[in-house]
Amino acid sequence: MRAIAIISCAAAGFAAAHPAPPHSPAVVAFTNVTVIPMDRERVLANQTVVVRDGRIAEIGPAARVRVPDDALRVDGRGRYLVPGVAEMHAHIPEGNASPAWVERVLFLYLANGVTTIRGMLGGPSHLTLRDRAARGEILSPTIYTSGPSFNGNSATSPEVARRMVEEQRAAGYDFLKIHPGVPRVAFDTMAATAQRVGIRFSGHVPLEVGLERALEARYASIDHLDGYLEWLAGMPRGPSQWFGLNLAERVDESRIAEAARLTREAGVWVVPTEALMESFVGSEPPEEMARWPGMEYLPAAMVRQWIQQLTNFRSQGAWTPERAERFLAIRKRLIRELHAAGVGILLGSDAPQVMNVPGFSIHRELRSYVAAGLTPYQALETGTRNVARFFGAEREFGTVETGKRANLVLLDADPLADIGNFRRQAGVMVGGRWLPREEVERRLATIAAAPGE
């Protein structure tokens, strides 16, 4: 099982209208709050942060900053203000998905503090959705999107690959998505054409390409750590199943340092999607996983399908409990050593996907990075400052600083003390629009009452 099967997010019976975005005051002031700016590891106690027209207008000690008379005051005493995070391996419903379902998926991201998403399997409707989100017409994170994927069925020859790159660049997609199966000759033409027309590419590493060629071609990001276990096992072109799960016993861990060096020198970022890996190869019964937080907001038919997928996956192919344990241990060490070598890590869990509910899975992803050896600050950095650096948008978002886009999360406890505290959210702000916890919970309750079949 090499490629991830993307679950259709269209759901029959899921047609109730998504609530319209609420009116939000032009000025919001977070008072007496502790700010974690994420420009470096530090905290600023007892601050007032003024947001005006979607931007951070002023930050300073509460005793010095005057709160405008027309501002909505948000009491920050005992709370922590941090940048919103990104889901860098997101999926947005496409095809025959209803607008209501699409907007609800986008809201599930927001409801968990995810204020930026990178859609990893795009289409024409996502370009319109990206623009509507940017204009504030829908409640949505900021959207970056790929076009339709390059895979063994689409990019079948150099000529087809060249045409796909040119068409997607002209259409205005933000990047190209690579799936498994692309022939080496088509990949090489794709990479050369992408460089010529000025568009980046991310995703899987096809077996015919292998990790070293992928690094040489300068992927923007390699997702799922695809290609790494094959390279570490000395079998860069297969046979491989499920990101090298079947090769776990052959992995030479002494080569991890070299893999990290090559990745850093290539300037390639990585998106681990560790929550997905742990869902698939872990030992928790699928029926129990189906009761994880967030599952109540999905159609029951989708959850049943996920249970069946996991049951099938663990009953055949490469999976054994012992191999799964080694596979996950290798990946944890790989994440830790990539980070220590200076490789840029980006927060991404792959949602919606098997047992990964949009937004909810990002909390598990953050915990997995800390379990791998990153500090809570370093884990948060993968979804904030690092993302802004990746997009070349450091003047726009990623830190809590004057002039930045007001994509913020207010927390009830310190995430630098325990990364699990990122779940303890008093509210989310996206583009200056404030959604207090009560509003988030009301909308979630509406979704849970009619998740559809």
Side-chain angles (χ1 to χ4, degrees):
M1 184 176 180
R2 173 72 177 175
I4 295 178
I6 302 302
I7 305 302
S8 170
C9 292
F14 206 79
H18 188 78
H23 172 72
S24 184
V27 184
V28 178
F30 298 92
T31 61
N32 303 293
V33 70
T34 297
V35 175
I36 302 176
M38 293 303 298
D39 56 348
R40 59 185 186 275
E41 189 166 359
R42 60 174 179 150
V43 297
L44 305 174
N46 200 28
Q47 303 286 296
T48 289
V49 178
V50 178
V51 172
R52 185 185 301 276
D53 297 327
R55 297 273 173 175
I56 299 172
E58 188 175 4
I59 304 172
R64 291 212 310 260
V65 175
R66 177 185 172 275
V67 177
D69 294 337
D70 59 342
L72 170 68
R73 289 174 176 259
V74 178
D75 187 1
R77 283 176 294 184
R79 291 170 169 168
Y80 297 78
L81 193 67
V82 300
V85 300
E87 165 62 272
M88 289 294 283
H89 198 110
H91 288 285
I92 304 169
E94 235 274 293
N96 61 347
S98 72
W101 172 242
V102 173
E103 293 187 19
R104 289 187 183 202
V105 167
L106 294 175
F107 179 74
L108 289 175
Y109 288 120
L110 274 187
N112 287 275
V114 175
T115 56
T116 299
I117 58 175
R118 185 176 66 147
M120 292 299 292
L121 188 62
S125 68
H126 293 173
L127 297 173
T128 301
L129 201 65
R130 180 188 65 187
D131 295 342
R132 291 185 65 206
R135 293 192 296 266
E137 295 176 4
I138 54 174
L139 272 176
S140 170
T142 299
I143 295 173
Y144 294 86
T145 183
S146 78
S149 84
F150 290 68
N151 57 66
N153 295 320
S154 63
T156 53
S157 69
E159 294 75 18
V160 172
R162 180 184 298 108
R163 183 174 67 250
M164 288 178 65
V165 174
E166 292 170 346
E167 288 175 349
Q168 292 192 23
R169 178 67 176 85
Y173 291 106
D174 297 301
F175 66 101
L176 311 175
K177 166 64 183 286
I178 312 303
H179 259 134
V182 180
R184 172 64 183 268
V185 291
F187 174 87
D188 288 345
T189 297
M190 179 280 302
T193 308
Q195 182 178 22
R196 174 173 59 81
V197 303
I199 189 169
R200 299 197 293 177
F201 50 93
S202 294
H204 293 251
V205 175
L207 281 176
E208 281 194 24
V209 174
L211 180 64
E212 288 192 34
R213 172 61 183 133
L215 295 175
E216 179 187 55
R218 303 298 172 101
Y219 269 64
S221 72
I222 293 176
D223 292 42
H224 315 296
L225 298 178
D226 199 3
Y228 279 87
L229 263 71
E230 292 88 342
W231 188 86
L232 293 171
M235 302 180 70
R237 290 170 181 79
S240 177
Q241 300 173 36
W242 189 250
F243 306 102
L245 173 62
N246 62 311
L247 303 176
E249 294 88 350
R250 301 189 183 195
V251 164
D252 179 356
E253 294 187 57
S254 70
R255 302 188 73 197
I256 291 178
E258 177 69 2
R261 182 187 67 79
L262 292 171
T263 307
R264 183 194 69 242
E265 291 178 354
V268 174
W269 297 72
V270 296
V271 185
T273 67
E274 204 61 13
L276 182 71
M277 301 299 157
E278 292 173 356
S279 291
F280 263 94
V281 308
S283 58
E284 186 170 353
E287 293 78 9
E288 293 182 14
M289 298 167 71
R291 293 191 288 272
W292 282 355
M295 294 294 177
E296 65 269 35
Y297 306 120
L298 298 179
M302 180 180 289
V303 177
R304 288 195 298 269
Q305 184 179 359
W306 288 355
I307 291 172
Q308 190 61 54
Q309 277 190 269
L310 281 186
T311 301
N312 293 344
F313 178 82
R314 296 179 187 177
S315 63
Q316 58 189 10
W319 189 89
T320 67
E322 297 76 19
R323 181 175 284 163
E325 182 178 359
R326 174 158 171 75
F327 174 80
L328 292 176
I330 292 167
R331 289 180 61 92
K332 281 184 171 63
R333 180 174 176 184
L334 186 54
I335 290 169
R336 181 170 64 253
E337 294 199 26
L338 286 167
H339 183 271
V343 174
I345 296 177
L346 298 169
L347 182 65
S349 68
D350 198 341
Q353 182 55 273
V354 175
M355 299 305 175
N356 277 7
V357 181
F360 290 86
S361 60
I362 217 67
H363 302 295
R364 300 199 335 267
E365 190 74 18
L366 285 167
R367 292 197 301 271
S368 77
Y369 297 171
V370 173
L374 275 63
T375 67
Y377 173 80
Q378 291 166 343
L380 272 179
E381 194 175 32
T382 68
T384 56
R385 187 182 179 192
N386 281 9
V387 175
R389 287 173 54 210
F390 175 83
F391 286 120
E394 292 168 278
R395 295 185 179 182
E396 282 294 303
F397 68 97
T399 56
V400 184
E401 295 182 89
T402 301
K404 297 288 181 73
R405 192 182 305 157
N407 289 348
L408 304 166
V409 185
L410 186 63
L411 304 176
D412 285 331
D414 183 1
L416 302 187
D418 181 349
I419 197 62
N421 288 335
F422 189 74
R423 286 191 60 184
R424 299 178 60 184
Q425 298 177 3
V428 179
M429 174 171 277
V430 58
R433 178 177 290 156
W434 172 238
L435 295 170
R437 176 165 45 214
E438 297 76 17
E439 174 70 12
V440 171
E441 290 178 348
R442 182 186 68 79
R443 289 171 177 270
L444 289 176
T446 300
I447 293 172
E453 290 291 328

